Amino acid sequence: MVKSTSKDAQDLFRSLHSAYSATPTNLKIIDMYVVFAVFTALIQVAYMALVGSFPFNSFLSGVLSCVGTAVLAVCLRIQVNKENKEFKDLAPELAFADFVLCNLVLHLVIINFLG
Amino acid sequence: MMNLSRSVALISLFLLPLLSFSFSVDNPTDRRVLVLLDDLSLKSSHSIFFSTLKSRGFDLDFKLADDSKLALQRYGQYLYDGLIIFAPSTERFGGALDSKSIADFVDSGRDLILSADTSASDLIRGIALECGVDFDEDSSAMVIDHSSFSLSDGDHTLIAADDLVKSDVILGKTKIEAPVLFRGVAHSLNPTNNLVLKVLSASPSAYSANPSSKLSSPPQLTGSAISLVSVMQARNNARVVISGSLQLFSDRLFRSGVQKAGSPNKYEKSGNEQFATELSKWVFHERGHLKAGSLVHHRVGETDEPAIYRIKDDLEFSVEILEWSGRSWEPYVADDLQVQFYMMSPYVLKTLSTDKKGMFHTSFKVPDVYGVFQFKVEYEKLGYTTLSLSKQIPVRPYRHNEYERFIPTAYPYYGACFTTMAGFFVFSFVYLYHK
C-alpha cells in the first residue's frame, strides 16, 4: 500500500511537472516573480519572530510590499493567461500597464509607511 | 487717629495666630511650658531639672493639678507650647483640663512630659494609654530587680538601669556612663505600635510586683518587656516622654552616687541629670527636628524645572534639609536619605549624597516607562521627625520625531522594500523583452 501511494505521488508529481512545462514562458516568469516576493515576505516574518516587532510599521511595510506585489503579479497572470475565458478580450498590454501603475502606487505607500 | 489704631488692631489680629503655635517651623523659640504638680514642694525637690529648663529659655508656669483656673486654650488659641505633668496621684484635673483636652493638645503638635510614680492614678494611666503606653494594672506594684538595684537602697526597688536606647538624637552624643536611678512603676509598650520607643528598659531580671506583699502568682510584666521610660513621636511630630518614676527627675537622685549591685564601678553622680536633660532637649525639639526645603529637579544642563519629562531623560534632583539646633536652623548631615521615583511602586531608588551644607542631591535616568510619577522622599529615622515629601511630574514617551531617523532593527525591512522594488523593475524588463 505504501509503495503504491508513493508511486502515486511520484506519478502525480511527474504529471504536474510535465503539465507545468507546457505553460507559456511569460507566465513562468510571473510565477518566478511571485515566488521571489513570497520568499522575501517569509524571510521578514522569520526575522520579526526572532527580534520582536519593535518598529511595527516598518515590519508591516516590508511584508506588505512583498505580499502586495505578489498579489498584483497574480492578478497580471490571471489577466494575461490565454486559457482564461473571462479576460479573452482584454489586451495584455493593458493588463501590464495596470500592473505597473498599481505597483507604483503600492511602493509609494510602502515608502511612506516605512518610517 | 482712628484709622491708625484700627490698622494696628488689624495687623495684630493677623499676628495673633503666629504667637501661639506649637513647635512651628516659623516660630521655634519662646517656649511656654505649663508644669502641673500635685504638690508645690515638687518645685523645690526637682529644682535642678526645672532650672536647666529655664536656663534653656523655657517659660515655666507652675500650677497645682487641681487648680480650678487651669486652661490650655483660650478662645481657640493654645496658651502653652509644652506640658509637663508631674502629678501622678491626681484623680481629676481642675479647670478646663481633662484627658481629652490633653490628647487634643498633643494632637495639635505640642509636646508632653508625663510621669507616674509609685502610685499612678487612673487619669494618668488613661493619658498614657492614649499615647500607647500601658502601665501595670496593679496599682501597688513597683519595679523590683534583685540583681540590678542600687547598693544604697535596701529593698531592691531603686533600680540602677543602664539599658538605654542607642540613639544619639534622643540621648545626646555623650554616652551616659553612670546608670540611671529609677524607683517607680513599670509600663509596657504594644510591640505592633511603631510610634513608641523604649528609652530606658529594665534588665532581664526585673519584674513588677508589690514589694510589701508575698507574690501569689508569677508577675505579668517581667524582664526587658518592662519599659522604665518611653517616648512617643506622633505622626504630626509631637513628642511625648512617659516615665514610670517621678523620683528620676528629683534633685536627690540627680546628686546621689550610684553603685550597681554586682558591679565594681562606683559612680560619684548618677546618670539621671544627663539623662533627664538630654531627654528634655529631644522632647522639646532642640534635637532631631528636621525641616525640608523645596524639592528641586531639572534636566541635566538646565536650571528650570520642566513641566514634563521624556523617558530616558537625564535628570538631577536636590532637596534641602535643615535641623533645628535649639537656636537656629543648621544643615542636616546624613548619608541615608533616599529619593524614590514612584508610580505605584518605586522605579528608581537612589541614596542622596550631601554637600554637608544641607543640600542633598542625586542624578539618574528617567526609566523607560511613561506615566505620572512622583519624587518621593520618605524618611523615618529613629528619633527624628518623619519627612514625607512628594512632588508629582508626568513622563511622556518619545515623540514620533524623537526616534533615530533610521532604526537599525528595521534595516532588513528597509532592505526588503527596496529589493522588492528592484525585483519589480527587473521583472518588468524581463517580462517585456523576453524572447
Side-chain angles (χ1 to χ4, degrees):
Chain A
M1 301 304 106
V2 175
K3 235 173 152 188
S4 70
T5 46
S6 72
K7 205 163 164 310
D8 285 339
Q10 274 186 352
D11 284 341
L12 187 65
F13 183 68
R14 230 176 272 130
S15 69
L16 269 175
H17 192 259
S18 54
Y20 187 68
S21 331
T23 56
T25 330
N26 56 348
L27 294 184
K28 282 209 211 129
I29 295 174
I30 298 180
D31 289 339
M32 259 178 31
Y33 180 62
V34 170
V35 165
F36 155 73
V38 170
F39 177 64
T40 316
L42 286 176
I43 291 185
Q44 289 182 80
V45 171
Y47 176 72
M48 185 218 83
L50 217 68
V51 163
S53 66
F54 165 50
F56 196 55
N57 58 323
S58 311
F59 164 66
L60 283 181
S61 168
V63 169
L64 197 62
S65 83
C66 301
V67 168
T69 198
V71 165
L72 290 171
V74 166
C75 291
L76 176 67
R77 190 186 199 278
I78 293 174
Q79 291 177 347
V80 155
N81 199 350
K82 297 210 179 34
E83 289 171 27
N84 211 336
K85 298 289 178 294
E86 199 181 339
F87 292 99
K88 202 158 45 96
D89 300 326
L90 188 68
E93 291 83 5
L94 185 58
F96 186 71
D98 281 341
F99 171 73
V100 167
L101 239 79
C102 291
N103 258 305
L104 279 174
V105 171
L106 175 74
H107 284 103
L108 188 72
V109 169
I110 289 308
I111 290 297
N112 190 25
F113 198 56
L114 198 54
Chain B
M1 281 298 109
M2 257 257 291
N3 274 338
L4 183 66
S5 61
R6 197 184 302 168
S7 54
V8 165
L10 269 175
I11 289 172
S12 58
L13 204 67
F14 284 125
L15 285 180
L16 201 59
L18 292 177
L19 291 178
S20 43
F21 264 26
S22 66
F23 187 77
S24 83
V25 291
D26 315 302
N27 245 340
T29 52
D30 311 324
R31 316 293 307 288
R32 292 156 310 161
V33 178
L34 173 63
V35 184
L36 291 177
L37 310 167
D38 57 3
D39 183 355
L40 280 176
S41 65
L42 281 175
K43 244 172 107 166
S44 50
S45 66
H46 291 61
S47 59
I48 302 183
F49 179 62
F50 293 132
S51 65
T52 53
L53 284 180
K54 282 204 198 109
S55 68
R56 295 210 310 271
F58 289 99
D59 216 351
L60 298 179
D61 197 0
F62 295 92
K63 289 231 160 58
L64 276 178
D66 47 14
D67 187 335
S68 57
K69 293 212 248 356
L70 282 180
L72 286 174
Q73 294 189 54
R74 188 161 58 211
Y75 309 127
Q77 312 284 348
Y78 277 104
L79 298 165
Y80 300 101
D81 307 306
L83 182 57
I84 298 181
I85 304 184
F86 277 176
S89 56
T90 312
E91 291 292 342
R92 229 166 52 93
F93 289 125
L97 240 63
D98 57 358
S99 67
K100 182 178 179 310
S101 64
I102 293 178
D104 289 341
F105 186 78
V106 175
D107 267 344
S108 73
R110 289 164 167 80
D111 313 311
L112 170 66
I113 299 182
L114 180 72
S115 181
D117 201 35
T118 51
S119 61
S121 69
D122 284 337
L123 176 66
I124 302 293
R125 279 170 206 274
I127 300 174
L129 202 60
E130 292 270 346
C131 302
V133 163
D134 263 321
F135 278 105
D136 193 350
E137 280 166 3
D138 186 355
S139 56
S140 55
M142 287 173 59
V143 181
I144 304 174
D145 193 337
H146 295 299
S147 63
S148 230
F149 58 94
S150 169
L151 276 177
S152 57
D153 180 76
D155 61 353
H156 301 183
T157 53
L158 185 64
I159 317 285
D162 47 15
D163 193 358
L164 295 158
V165 72
K166 287 185 188 38
S167 170
D168 281 350
V169 187
I170 301 180
L171 294 173
K173 284 199 191 52
T174 358
K175 185 168 163 353
I176 300 178
E177 297 287 345
V180 175
L181 290 170
F182 177 98
R183 177 189 271 130
V185 295
H187 58 260
S188 64
L189 307 174
N190 188 343
T192 55
N193 189 344
N194 58 354
L195 299 173
V196 286
L197 180 68
K198 275 196 284 213
V199 170
L200 187 65
S201 331
S203 75
S205 56
Y207 61 97
S208 171
N210 189 343
S212 51
S213 69
K214 212 162 107 154
L215 272 180
S216 53
S217 55
Q220 272 190 324
L221 281 179
T222 57
S224 315
I226 295 180
S227 173
L228 306 174
V229 177
S230 323
V231 298
M232 194 264 288
Q233 180 163 269
R235 288 195 185 92
N236 61 356
N237 295 322
R239 291 174 175 174
V240 175
V241 166
I242 297 183
S243 161
S245 164
L246 188 51
Q247 297 178 29
L248 193 150
F249 298 99
S250 67
D251 292 355
R252 195 169 63 85
L253 291 190
F254 272 17
R255 290 197 193 106
S256 89
V258 58
Q259 183 179 10
K260 196 162 123 167
S263 140
N265 300 331
K266 193 167 158 61
Y267 297 93
E268 283 299 312
K269 198 161 142 61
S270 66
N272 286 39
E273 182 170 357
Q274 187 182 357
F275 177 73
T277 313
E278 296 297 329
L279 206 56
S280 69
K281 280 191 193 156
W282 181 82
V283 79
F284 289 126
H285 294 270
E286 284 171 49
R287 236 187 349 242
H289 188 100
L290 301 175
K291 166 172 92 157
S294 53
L295 303 175
V296 170
H297 59 90
H298 56 87
R299 283 200 194 93
V300 170
E302 297 176 14
T303 48
D304 292 334
E305 199 176 283
I308 187 168
Y309 279 114
R310 195 206 66 207
I311 59 173
K312 300 210 197 105
D313 257 345
D314 289 307
L315 62 82
E316 282 179 355
F317 171 84
S318 65
V319 61
E320 187 186 17
I321 308 234
L322 301 170
E323 185 181 358
W324 179 246
S325 70
R327 277 172 302 280
S328 62
W329 288 103
E330 303 290 320
Y332 177 58
V333 177
D335 56 359
D336 54 0
L337 212 68
Q338 288 182 320
V339 64
Q340 302 175 9
F341 200 56
Y342 176 92
M343 174 168 73
M344 312 293 281
S345 71
Y347 282 82
V348 176
L349 180 69
K350 288 215 92 161
T351 308
L352 296 167
S353 48
T354 176
D355 65 350
K356 304 257 186 310
K357 291 201 205 65
M359 291 298 293
F360 291 82
H361 59 90
T362 186
S363 62
F364 55 87
K365 211 181 196 26
V366 175
D368 198 0
V369 180
Y370 56 89
V372 177
F373 282 86
Q374 283 178 327
F375 287 104
K376 266 168 99 137
V377 174
E378 308 256 334
Y379 191 59
E380 285 177 22
K381 196 163 167 176
L382 190 77
Y384 286 94
T385 55
T386 45
L387 283 179
S388 194
L389 316 162
S390 76
K391 200 163 195 183
Q392 207 177 57
I393 187 80
V395 170
R396 65 166 173 86
Y398 280 119
R399 288 203 196 95
H400 74 284
N401 61 352
E402 281 175 345
Y403 290 101
E404 314 91 88
R405 184 62 190 89
F406 298 112
I407 301 176
T409 3
Y411 282 169
Y413 307 126
Y414 302 155
C417 289
F418 289 110
T419 315
T420 316
M421 291 206 286
F424 158 71
F425 197 64
V426 165
F427 159 76
S428 48
F429 257 116
V430 169
Y431 181 75
L432 287 175
Y433 297 113
H434 79 96
K435 221 345 87 234

